[in-house]
Amino acid sequence: MHGHTVADRVTKLTGREATRATALGGSHAWTAFRVELADGTPLFVKALPEAREDGFSGLFQTEALGLDWLGRPAESLVPDVVAWDSHTLVLSWVEERPPTPRAAEILGRRLADMHTAGAGFFGAERDGFIGPLPLDNTPTADWPRFYAERRLAPYLRRATDRGALTPVDARVVEKVIDSVEDLAGEPEPAARIHGDLWSGNVLWQEGDAVLVDPAAHGGHRETDLAMLALFGLPHLDRVRDSYNEVAPLAAGWRQRIALHQLHPLLVHVSLFGAAYRTTTMDAARAALRV
């Protein structure tokens, strides 16, 4: 995709002249750009090719609305949504800086504020995406059922259909699905969660951090915290400590980390194959040992 095409899109969407678009790299079906306006303002843009929308209808709408929803209780925790259409998402530019303990403490408190703002129900008003994969957000009455039916079972099917998990593997994960109600801990109200909060979706700024690329929905707050641990977030202990000062986690949360990590790992197996099989199965077995 050419930079001038993206600059033209941004000009049309924002009503402000965009003079330059620099490609930052591709991810799945879309490409990221840094776009500069005539007055020097930088913007971040995700763009699909004009001819490519199959399977991605509503992708950028869902992301834009998710960022807006997450930002209501903690506005500075997400970038500003500038504009969007079916092929383009325009966000404020985030000037990244190295993570610091102080920024991690602020992130923990703001994450707690976001979660405790609540969601009203488990699920969302519309289906979404996690990466390029569809995400069923049909509401359910409680979190164990939501997690089993909307998060674990669909991606277990994807992983087994592509041969990344064996029938023996599948039976272990099915045991987790059948036991979620017993493994989930005490019931909690639906939290306003990011839903895809791995470390790459945390952008550190001067003194704080912002969250990007959400799969936003009403879920369990331990899901976000478990995913931060999955691929290693800098200063994670500081994030957790400051989070706990605002919204203490329920007893036994450490033993439930593997349960909450199982969904993103099944997503990775579905996308990238058997390279994630061992980690996924380790998480499934660890979840059952609670």
Side-chain angles (χ1 to χ4, degrees), residues 2-255:
H2 298 295
H4 68 81
T5 303
V6 173
D8 290 344
R9 287 193 201 177
V10 173
T11 298
K12 182 178 179 180
L13 277 171
T14 65
R16 302 168 68 186
E17 183 184 1
T19 57
R20 180 185 302 177
T22 304
L24 303 175
S27 179
H28 307 297
W30 50 88
T31 305
F33 293 84
R34 176 188 168 104
V35 173
E36 293 183 13
L37 301 180
D39 64 4
T41 301
L43 297 171
F44 176 83
V45 177
K46 290 167 73 171
L48 285 165
E50 288 289 354
R52 180 67 185 272
E53 196 177 339
D54 53 304
F56 296 104
S57 177
L59 173 70
F60 292 146
Q61 177 190 31
T62 300
E63 185 169 342
L65 294 176
L67 287 168
D68 175 72
W69 184 65
L70 294 176
R72 290 176 197 172
E75 183 176 348
S76 56
L77 192 53
V78 297
D80 293 331
V81 177
V82 178
W84 56 269
D85 64 14
S86 60
H87 287 81
T88 314
L89 176 67
V90 185
L91 305 175
S92 59
W93 180 260
V94 177
E95 197 64 47
E96 294 187 69
R97 294 288 185 266
T100 65
R102 174 63 176 164
E105 291 169 4
I106 293 172
L107 172 60
R109 289 195 292 271
R110 290 179 177 169
L111 193 61
D113 288 340
M114 183 183 81
H115 286 168
T116 55
F121 55 86
F122 294 102
E125 293 179 354
R126 60 187 57 81
D127 290 340
F129 295 85
I130 185 159
L133 297 181
L135 195 65
D136 183 354
N137 286 327
T138 304
T140 59
D142 57 69
W143 184 78
R145 181 181 167 198
F146 176 81
Y147 194 58
E149 296 181 2
R150 309 286 184 248
R151 295 298 181 261
L152 297 183
Y155 300 95
L156 175 60
R157 285 194 296 271
R158 283 180 176 271
T160 53
D161 286 349
R162 69 169 296 176
L165 295 181
T166 69
V168 173
D169 296 334
R171 284 195 288 273
V172 177
V173 179
E174 286 165 356
K175 288 181 182 179
V176 178
I177 292 172
D178 293 340
S179 305
V180 167
E181 189 168 347
D182 296 327
L183 302 174
E186 292 299 315
E188 292 203 359
R192 187 174 303 220
I193 73 168
H194 179 283
D196 191 13
L197 197 54
W198 72 290
S199 57
N201 285 341
V202 178
L203 305 185
W204 299 96
Q205 300 184 116
E206 189 68 44
D208 61 7
V210 298
L211 311 182
V212 296
D213 295 346
H217 65 280
H220 199 301
R221 61 198 182 113
E222 290 177 13
T223 296
D224 276 351
L225 293 168
M227 197 161 183
L228 286 175
L230 184 56
F231 298 113
L233 182 79
H235 309 298
L236 180 57
D237 286 346
R238 293 289 187 102
V239 173
R240 285 174 176 160
D241 288 348
S242 61
Y243 183 102
N244 267 304
E245 291 174 4
V246 177
L249 291 165
W253 66 267
R254 289 184 184 276
Q255 288 70 43

